[in-house]
Amino acid sequence: MRVTKITIAALAVAAGLSLTACQSDGDATSRSDSSAAPASPSAHGGPGSDGSARGAAKASAGKDSGEGQGTGAGTGSDKDGKTGKCRTDELEVTAADHTIDGDPGGTVVVEFTNGGGRDCALSGYAGVDLRTSAGSLSALRTGEPASRTVLKDGESVAFGITYPVNDSGGSGVRVTGLVVTPPDETKSVSLAWPGAATLPVTDGSGSPVKAGPIGSAGQGG
């Protein structure tokens, strides 16, 4: 009987150990399955994978689109930078007397009108020569700052020529014509002189005639 009881007790202990081992294996399997579960959706298109990829793609597309728009807006064409200079053949050149009573000298205004059918630019000083009974007389520049002017087709810009009035009582130097050369051009335009008929005789120390920059509109001297 004693031997039988010991054997039964031993079997019971072994069965208990076997049951504990099975439970431990079950728990381990359960923990392993539980810890692996979150990774599975990401690997098969869950929110952790495709969701993030789609979000990144959208963000990337939005960024590229924004940069493209920004580049287009930032590098828009600079109209002035692409506008060519006005050619003599594109310009209608006229001259008129603008002398004001009481001024110490006379003023002639020369106007350039763009008739070339395109935008064009003028800047600096035009060449001005007076034809006189004593030969050609070149106008000096007033030295004023010269700005760049863009003319649309049909628009005009002017500059002034100032000269001394002959009040000496003598015959003076007779003016027979006006020659104007647009800035940066070599082709000239000959015009009738609209100012006073004569200039005073000078001692030859310099030209008594001055031309203002483009845009001075008669305020060149």
Side-chain angles (χ1 to χ4, degrees):
M1 290 297 292
R2 183 179 179 82
V3 173
T4 300
K5 289 181 178 179
I6 292 174
T7 300
I8 291 173
L11 290 174
V13 170
L17 292 174
S18 175
L19 180 60
T20 301
C22 290
Q23 290 176 346
S24 298
D25 290 343
D27 291 343
T29 301
S30 177
R31 285 194 298 271
S32 175
D33 291 343
S34 176
S35 61
S40 178
S42 299
H44 295 82
S49 176
D50 286 356
S52 297
R54 285 193 297 269
K58 289 179 180 179
S60 176
K63 181 180 179 182
D64 291 342
S65 175
E67 288 178 351
Q69 292 172 356
T71 301
T75 58
S77 61
D78 183 354
K79 181 181 71 175
D80 289 354
K82 294 184 178 181
T83 302
K85 67 179 181 179
C86 297
R87 301 289 185 178
T88 302
D89 290 338
E90 296 176 308
L91 297 170
E92 179 186 353
V93 187
T94 59
D97 181 26
H98 274 233
T99 301
I100 300 174
D101 291 341
D103 282 357
T107 301
V108 167
V109 169
V110 176
E111 186 174 72
F112 292 120
T113 300
N114 179 13
R118 68 177 181 94
D119 293 358
C120 67
L122 284 172
S123 61
Y125 286 78
V128 174
D129 296 282
L130 271 60
R131 290 175 177 165
T132 75
S133 56
S136 180
L137 178 65
S138 296
L140 297 177
R141 296 179 177 182
T142 61
E144 294 176 83
S147 60
R148 187 169 185 266
T149 300
V150 174
L151 297 178
K152 294 185 180 297
D153 187 37
E155 290 184 342
S156 302
V157 67
F159 70 92
I161 302 171
T162 58
Y163 63 94
V165 175
N166 181 20
D167 55 5
S168 64
S171 60
V173 177
R174 184 167 56 89
V175 182
T176 61
L178 171 65
V179 180
V180 177
T181 308
D184 302 318
E185 285 288 279
T186 57
K187 186 174 183 179
S188 303
V189 177
S190 295
L191 304 168
W193 172 250
T198 62
L199 300 175
V201 177
T202 65
D203 59 6
S205 60
S207 172
V209 181
K210 294 184 179 181
I214 298 299
S216 61
Q219 302 302 314

